[in-house]
Amino acid sequence: MRALLMTTAIVMLAQAAAAETFTLSSEVDRVTAYPDGAKVTRAVDFDVPAGQHRLLIGDVPAGFNAESLRISGGNGLVVGAISMRDDRLPPDEREVVEREAIQDDIDALRDRIRGRINDKAAQELVIDAAKARIEFLETLGGQQAKDVALGGDAPTVDTLLKMVELVGAETLRAMQDAQAAREVIFGIDRDVDDMQEDLAELRQKLEAVALPLADRVIVSLDVSAEDAALGSLQVSYTTWEAGWMPVYDLRLDQVAGNVTIDRQVSLFQDTGESWQDVAMTVSTARPNLQLDPGELYSRLAYLYDPIIDARERTVGTLSMAAPVMMEMVAEESQADRLTASLDFQGLTAIYHLPDTIRLDGDGAEVLFAIDETTFDVDLTARATPLLDSNAYLYADLKNDSSAPYLPGFARLYRDGAFIGQTDDFPMIAAGQSIDLAFGEIDGITTERVTLFRESGESGVFTSSNDKVEEYSLKVENLTGTAWDVVLYDRVPYSEQEDLEIKIDARPTPTQTDVDGKRGVLSWAFNLPTGGEKTVSFAYSFDWPKGKELGFR
């Protein structure tokens, strides 16, 4: 048996030694991006003779999920063992050639700039020569006058006229030469400025290509072919060095009563290589989420002697934060953009981006438009006077489109004005309704007034304690339009039989325990222009003597 194993190993080593090795290059062919990862598919062209071979693909960036590596295609090839290594990597010839080509362009452009600078220096010499000629002519006329003053023979009128004509003509010619040289210099300066801009662009391009090479691995494939084979293999894997985040522009038109949601995606990838002319799709699937709801375990109930700690009795407040506001800024007009097409894989929405996109591998985020959908909405003015005297505009929207809106970042516009942004835009499933806040409404004011508050003891022998509180909520509409208004407040609730709470509200609240929050009340009504409305409510507590009342 041992001899048989040794013989088999020798045969396998001989076959491996006889196998021809081909070093191949690959290109990213298509990518499916997820919110927290991406599936990358690379195309590998091959041309091999019949026989057993080893294919080395040495330009795959490291950092991908090795367990996800899959090989497909390769008509005429039978793929055997697949392995990876990160040592003895061959240089990426394509990147070397591209860098050398850009550097050659930079060197050539520098030579042209130097040549134009030399041309400028030559024209400056022409200007200097013209100035020297003019100075000489001016000196010549002065010298003639000096000779006459010292007793020399005065020139005849004819000679003087010829001299003046000569000096004038030569001076004009020198000035014209200087002006012509200045015009040439102006053109040279303009050419140099343009070439400097081109040079800056080439340097940026070189920096992008000359980024530190990403750590790479060699994917090794042992293949066999009965006949000579020519074709393409697909190498696919998942990586966490890429992903996308939803970005939304929400535009409310109060007159039309609708909200337009401009859906965009912010894509990034930090694999170290550029994705260009790649078939890019964006998927709403989230592969890293758990696949099942988890396992339930038994829950044991038991009694114990209570230990009361006064520090555990804390007074809480209602957490209903008002929207974050920003100064209203006029929105710039939207430019036309390429958009994506929508498909579905079961319940998963797939968006196919234009194949003209480029996504560099340095982690920089790039924004792409997906779609734009307009929804009819119901508008309300909502206020929580306990927390804020202002009223806020809400749009009740139902997602009647076929695709969900995933959580992400959103910018909000109201009637063309930018009013704020949030990085906590919620999930909106297809068919789901949601209330969207669009900021403060100028002209609707609210006030919460304490009407009555009293506490004491009751009974002949003070066997119990009691406490009464009464409040009013007032809202006034000073805008030029009627509003559907919703006021919110709260009353305490009890889970103990010994603590009795009685509540009286006028008018009766439209809704109690709003959104499942016990004790939260709301009143809904229409408020005309110039109108005002007051609601009031009171509650009383009654509890045994010797106990203390606390809130949380």
Side-chain angles (χ1 to χ4, degrees):
M1 182 68 179
R2 187 171 184 180
L4 176 61
L5 291 175
M6 292 181 62
T7 303
T8 303
I10 293 172
V11 171
M12 292 178 64
L13 287 173
Q15 290 176 340
E20 190 173 357
T21 299
F22 295 87
T23 300
L24 306 178
S25 61
S26 67
E27 291 184 350
V28 177
D29 180 57
R30 60 185 183 274
V31 174
T32 299
Y34 306 107
D36 43 16
K39 177 183 177 182
V40 181
T41 301
R42 312 179 74 90
V44 184
D45 293 333
F46 64 87
D47 184 1
V48 298
Q52 295 183 340
H53 311 290
R54 175 162 292 173
L55 308 183
L56 300 180
I57 308 166
D59 53 4
V60 180
F64 64 87
N65 181 6
E67 289 76 13
S68 69
L69 184 67
R70 296 292 183 272
I71 310 297
S72 60
N75 188 29
L77 290 184
V78 176
V79 179
I82 304 173
S83 62
M84 293 178 293
R85 71 169 192 261
D86 57 6
D87 58 342
R88 302 190 302 279
L89 293 173
D92 191 328
E93 295 297 335
R94 291 174 300 169
E95 293 181 359
V96 172
V97 170
E98 188 175 1
R99 287 197 298 272
E100 289 178 349
I102 296 173
Q103 187 61 56
D104 289 343
D105 291 341
I106 289 175
D107 294 341
L109 193 54
R110 283 173 175 167
D111 290 341
R112 289 174 56 198
I113 291 174
R114 281 193 291 268
R116 295 302 281 161
I117 291 175
N118 290 336
D119 293 341
K120 179 178 179 179
Q123 294 300 317
E124 288 173 343
L125 291 176
V126 172
I127 294 174
D128 291 340
K131 290 179 179 178
R133 286 157 56 195
I134 293 171
E135 290 175 359
F136 173 76
L137 293 171
E138 291 173 348
T139 303
L140 182 63
Q143 185 62 42
Q144 184 65 41
K146 185 185 293 185
D147 291 343
V148 173
L150 294 175
D153 295 334
T156 63
V157 174
D158 184 56
T159 301
L160 187 60
L161 288 174
K162 289 182 178 180
M163 183 174 296
V164 170
E165 182 179 356
L166 176 63
V167 170
E170 290 300 320
T171 300
L172 177 61
R173 186 177 295 110
M175 295 175 69
Q176 290 174 336
D177 291 345
Q179 179 60 28
R182 292 189 188 96
E183 292 178 357
V184 173
I185 288 175
F186 177 79
I188 291 173
D189 288 340
R190 186 169 54 192
D191 291 344
V192 170
D193 289 342
D194 292 342
M195 287 188 288
Q196 291 287 7
E197 291 180 2
D198 293 341
L199 185 60
E201 291 180 2
L202 284 173
R203 285 171 173 162
Q204 288 181 345
K205 189 175 180 181
L206 181 62
E207 286 181 5
V209 177
L211 288 172
L213 290 177
D215 292 335
R216 291 177 291 142
V217 299
I218 289 180
V219 176
S220 176
L221 308 178
D222 288 341
V223 301
S224 61
E226 291 185 3
D227 302 306
L230 172 67
S232 179
L233 282 166
Q234 285 75 51
V235 178
S236 63
Y237 51 84
T238 57
T239 175
W240 307 121
E241 302 298 328
W244 69 277
M245 180 185 75
V247 176
Y248 306 103
D249 285 343
L250 279 67
R251 297 183 175 83
L252 170 63
D253 186 334
Q254 293 189 75
V255 175
N258 60 43
V259 169
T260 298
I261 301 182
D262 180 7
R263 187 196 327 245
Q264 304 160 75
V265 295
S266 178
L267 280 166
F268 76 92
Q269 62 104 350
D270 197 16
T271 63
E273 67 175 349
S274 176
W275 295 348
Q276 189 169 7
D277 297 329
V278 172
M280 176 77 72
T281 59
V282 174
S283 172
T284 58
R286 286 167 284 181
N288 69 325
L289 296 185
Q290 65 185 52
L291 300 178
D292 58 29
E295 183 178 355
L296 277 177
Y297 294 93
S298 303
R299 186 185 184 192
L300 172 67
Y302 61 95
L303 295 175
Y304 64 96
D305 294 329
I307 301 176
I308 301 176
D309 187 347
R311 291 174 300 178
E312 294 180 358
R313 296 197 298 268
T314 58
V315 178
T317 59
L318 180 66
S319 177
M320 292 180 67
V324 176
M325 290 299 299
M326 297 182 65
E327 182 180 357
M328 298 178 73
V329 181
E331 177 187 6
E332 297 181 357
S333 60
Q334 293 286 103
D336 292 335
R337 291 178 295 174
L338 294 171
T339 56
S341 59
L342 173 63
D343 258 330
F344 281 91
Q345 291 181 350
L347 299 177
T348 301
I350 303 291
Y351 296 95
H352 301 277
L353 301 187
D355 59 2
T356 56
I357 67 172
R358 175 188 176 115
L359 196 59
D360 292 327
D362 56 1
E365 296 185 5
V366 181
L367 203 63
F368 295 99
I370 294 293
D371 59 18
E372 185 177 277
T373 308
T374 299
F375 302 92
D376 292 332
V377 295
D378 294 323
L379 302 178
T380 56
R382 304 186 185 185
T384 308
L386 175 63
L387 304 176
D388 193 329
S389 62
N390 297 303
Y392 292 85
L393 176 58
Y394 276 77
D396 182 8
L397 177 149
K398 181 178 181 180
N399 178 15
D400 51 16
S401 70
S402 57
Y405 289 90
L406 297 185
F409 175 85
R411 294 179 289 259
L412 286 82
Y413 300 85
R414 192 172 74 196
D415 297 323
F418 174 63
I419 60 167
Q421 62 189 34
T422 176
D423 57 3
D424 196 24
F425 184 80
M427 168 84 174
I428 311 177
Q432 179 184 356
S433 295
I434 190 170
D435 296 328
L436 300 174
F438 280 89
E440 181 181 325
I441 302 174
D442 294 330
I444 297 182
T445 61
T446 69
E447 182 182 17
R448 188 181 198 262
V449 178
T450 302
L451 300 178
F452 183 78
R453 179 181 292 166
E454 183 181 69
S455 61
E457 299 174 339
S458 61
V460 177
F461 299 102
T462 63
S463 60
S464 65
N465 299 304
D466 60 72
K467 182 181 179 71
V468 179
E469 296 183 7
E470 185 176 1
Y471 302 92
S472 70
L473 307 178
K474 179 182 178 182
V475 57
E476 186 174 7
N477 180 8
L478 303 177
T479 70
T481 183
W483 284 93
D484 289 328
V485 176
V486 182
L487 290 179
Y488 295 92
D489 214 301
R490 65 178 181 182
V491 294
Y493 70 94
S494 172
E495 294 181 341
Q496 297 173 303
E497 291 185 3
D498 289 343
L499 177 58
E500 181 181 356
I501 302 177
K502 296 180 180 180
I503 300 171
D504 179 31
R506 299 174 301 276
T508 302
T510 307
Q511 188 177 0
T512 59
D513 296 343
V514 176
D515 296 332
K517 299 173 184 175
R518 295 182 62 181
V520 177
L521 312 176
S522 69
W523 293 263
F525 49 86
N526 184 267
L527 192 62
T529 300
E532 63 179 56
K533 176 87 170 180
T534 300
V535 302
S536 61
F537 62 96
Y539 48 85
S540 62
F541 305 90
D542 189 84
W543 68 95
K545 182 72 173 178
K547 300 287 186 179
E548 292 185 2
L549 180 63
F551 300 93
R552 66 182 180 195

